[in-house]
Amino acid sequence: MGRYRVRVATGNSAFSGSNNQVQLWLVGLRAEVELGLRLRPARGQMEDFEVDVSEDLGPLQFVKLRKIHLLIKDAWFCNHITVWVFEQSMEEKEIVFPCYRWVEGDGIICLPETTAWMIRNESQGLFQKHQEEELKARRTLYGWVSWKKGIPLSVAAASEKDLPLDARFHEEKKVDFERTRVVGVTEIALKRLYTLLSSWNSLEDFDQIFWGGKSALAKRVRLSWKDDDFFGYQFLNGVNPTLLRKSSSLPTRLVIPPGTEDLKAQLERKLQEGCLFEVDFSLLAGIQANVIQGERQHLAAPLLMLKMEPDGKLLPMVIQLQLPGSDSPVPPLFLPSDPSLTWLLAKAWVKNSDFQLHELQAHLLKTHLMAEVFAVATMRCLPGMHPIFKLLIPHLRYTLEINTRARTKLISNGGFFDQAVNTGGGGHLDVLRRATTCLTYRSLCPPDDLADRGLLGVPSAFYAHDAVRLWDIISRYVQGIVQLHYLEDEVVRSDPELQAWCREITEIGLCKAQERGFPVSFQSRDELCHFVTMCIFTCTAQHSAVNQGQLDWYTWVPNAPCTMRQPPPTTKDVTLEMVMATMPNVHQACIQMTISWHLGRFQPDMVPLGHHKEQYFSGPGPQAVLNRFQEDLYTLEREIVARNESLDLPYEYLKPSRIENSITI
Ligand SMILES: CC/C=C\C/C=C\C[C@@H](/C=C/C=C\C/C=C\CCCC(=O)O)OO
Ligand SMILES: [Fe+2]
């Protein structure tokens, strides 16, 4: 018996309130009581009321709530319920029941209090029963589907409309996304009109559709894209810093034609000096090229060799556009000393190939589709009271919707890839399949990946430096939360939901990825922390590193052509007509610019890394861990700002303030 003050907090997004009435129960260890209230929750409001309860409820464990609709069903977004207990001779006690979900229909929803997972074993199985019912419902809502064979599984949803309401964009996000699509389509139409009667026979003609550039760096790209050091820089710190690796030997595919022995001597010298680097696009070899509006597009599978200069500049040394084969046992090598247009076209072929592997492998597969596997497995295996659910859920916001939209608009039949990309038309799916077969656990963990690629400690590798710093900061955050909930390794080993989550990711979502180093169980807190750190890093920092740069590096189309309309050159006499006949045409270039802006622009409702408002945990312990996380991020922010001040090209994509807390675009 005692007096209770109850606070009902409603979300702040549009339509979060409800005209339906809400009924509440307090459920204690010894009894439960219906509060007899009928409140209509209002958007952005916290509504308090007090009740005297005659029964002895015992320690509160759940709040139960139900929305009652007479005529119209009106979903309600409940943030949380907070209860203060005033009991005789005891000071006031605050108990929080997090929700952060839509309340639809008229079923009863059970909210466990925030520390429930810690006391679940002593509570007569009440929490166990709740968890089982919750997961049974979630497994119905979040199903797996194989969208295309050979790539990670996705959420079962033919379009975003089929997703559960809790996985959908909130109104503000939806309105902004749809508005941007309309702006983009309008811009393409206007540019087509504008260029109908104009020439398209010089590289400067791309200016006709480059309306002012959407970023300062995009304008710099337009001015400097032809420069070799600017070209090389992008493989360290551009929109795709994931392919560059330090050479441990001359690649076997690099067949040196007779008469170019001095090149071989230069390469070997750089190799000995430990400053030879390579980017190999062999993954594209033999991929079927797209046919766009009846015009066959073309693909290459380049190898690029570069040398790291003492001043940190990365300069291209040689480009081989095709793998040696029966029809071309010694493919021509293109050099910086070749005629300028020849060398420029060879570099353009490298950047077109980089566009394919960046968007399909680094961006779509290694961030978006990985995050989707984490999201579906989390919803299917971890109950809302589980500490790893609470830790991860803020980093999974909106990901299922943006990925579903990608499957219906970008990589679908007739989508962006089919309309304007030379791997479109099905080749893009083969690239995804090939990239999936070489998707290792190590490649998703920067300390391992960058060590394997020889990029640790390289002074001009700013992505590498910032990625390792962020990994360490996220790792400390994850360890802080894990150590509060798992007091020894045995607790990890004997957590059935956690072990099921691990297996669901590796064996189901990633299609038996244990062969690629992914775990099928966690035997220690360290193993758990490493994996969860990888999940959060992938959903935040890594996506930021490969998404934001689309706006800066892809809107000046010649710097990263989305398609190539002529075969790669096999001789050194390249003309401007050949270059313009190869580069994307006006329509394809307009589509590339629009998509790059749509996907790379700053999201107006973005939540910066570590600054989500939802409070799934409560108490001083988790809050102290989160506070330390935010402090560490702020320290890194200041470090990066200071470092960037001395750089001609600041590297901004891993500045914590620019890293979104989840993959939403
Ligand atoms: C250029 C993008 C290439 C590959 C995709 C890589 C990652 C997925 C992407 C998500 C996109 C999701 C939705 C885009 C939908 C529509 C865009 C506008 C086109 C249209 O509306 O027709 O990550 O950002
Ligand atoms: Fe993205």
Side-chain angles (χ1 to χ4, degrees), residues 177 181 355 359 363-364 368 402 405-406 409-410 416-417 543 547 550 595 598-599 665:
F177 189 90
R181 283 190 62 199
F355 182 100
E359 291 293 11
H363 186 193
L364 181 60
H368 279 260
I402 196 62
R405 286 176 179 264
K409 292 287 183 209
L410 283 190
F416 164 65
F417 268 78
H543 180 257
N547 188 81
Q550 293 173 110
I595 278 278
H598 186 82
L599 302 182
I665 187 68

Side-chain angles (χ1 to χ4, degrees), residues 628-659:
R628 175 64 193 272
F629 182 39
Q630 292 171 347
E631 287 160 11
D632 288 348
L633 290 170
Y634 184 57
T635 301
L636 178 59
E637 179 91 9
R638 291 201 309 264
E639 278 177 27
I640 292 175
V641 167
R643 181 230 19 233
N644 282 347
E645 279 168 1
S646 63
L647 297 178
D648 170 39
L649 287 170
Y651 184 72
E652 301 263 282
Y653 304 135
L654 292 182
K655 252 170 63 174
S657 61
R658 284 191 50 165
I659 299 173

